[in-house]
Amino acid sequence: MDHIIYMQNAYVSMEAKGEGEEADAIRVDHHQCRLGKWYYDGSGKALFGATRAFADLEKPHARVHNSVHAALKGIQSDMVNADEAREAIVGAMESAEAGSHDVIHLISRMVEEKHRV
């Protein structure tokens, strides 16, 4: 759920031009968000570290954050109304969505691998 809330906050932040508590919430990197804390410092490794999906999760999770941060930077740019800037923002959010899809898929795979569902 934390990952879904992160993505929701990203879209709210885009609408608010990078202002507000949602924008503050998405400025964290993939180590400092709640999923990242679970993955790096919490119980994630103990519970799912033996699964292949756990190892595969890091790159798409980082992609989500890097892409959202790029979109946030673009939305706050002086050039935000230029066609090229808008295309870059949309492209960054498309990349975030693709990474998000992979994150959700890999979380499901972790559960399946661990419990052989």
Side-chain angles (χ1 to χ4, degrees), residues 9-84:
N9 283 337
Y11 282 106
V12 170
S13 298
M14 295 301 114
E15 181 66 26
K17 306 243 186 293
E19 300 294 328
E21 66 183 63
E22 291 86 359
D24 293 340
I26 65 167
R27 285 189 172 93
V28 297
D29 67 16
H30 69 285
H31 293 269
Q32 297 304 314
C33 72
R34 288 178 59 138
L35 178 58
K37 287 179 181 180
W38 174 85
Y39 186 88
Y40 294 104
D41 302 323
S43 59
K45 188 169 188 169
L47 293 172
F48 296 99
T51 67
R52 179 177 173 101
F54 183 85
D56 292 344
L57 181 62
E58 185 173 21
K59 285 183 183 180
H61 184 221
R63 177 182 179 188
V64 168
H65 284 264
N66 293 337
S67 298
V68 166
H69 294 168
L72 185 61
K73 184 177 178 182
I75 202 76
Q76 293 179 309
S77 163
D78 292 338
M79 300 296 294
V80 71
N81 292 319
D83 288 343
E84 187 175 300

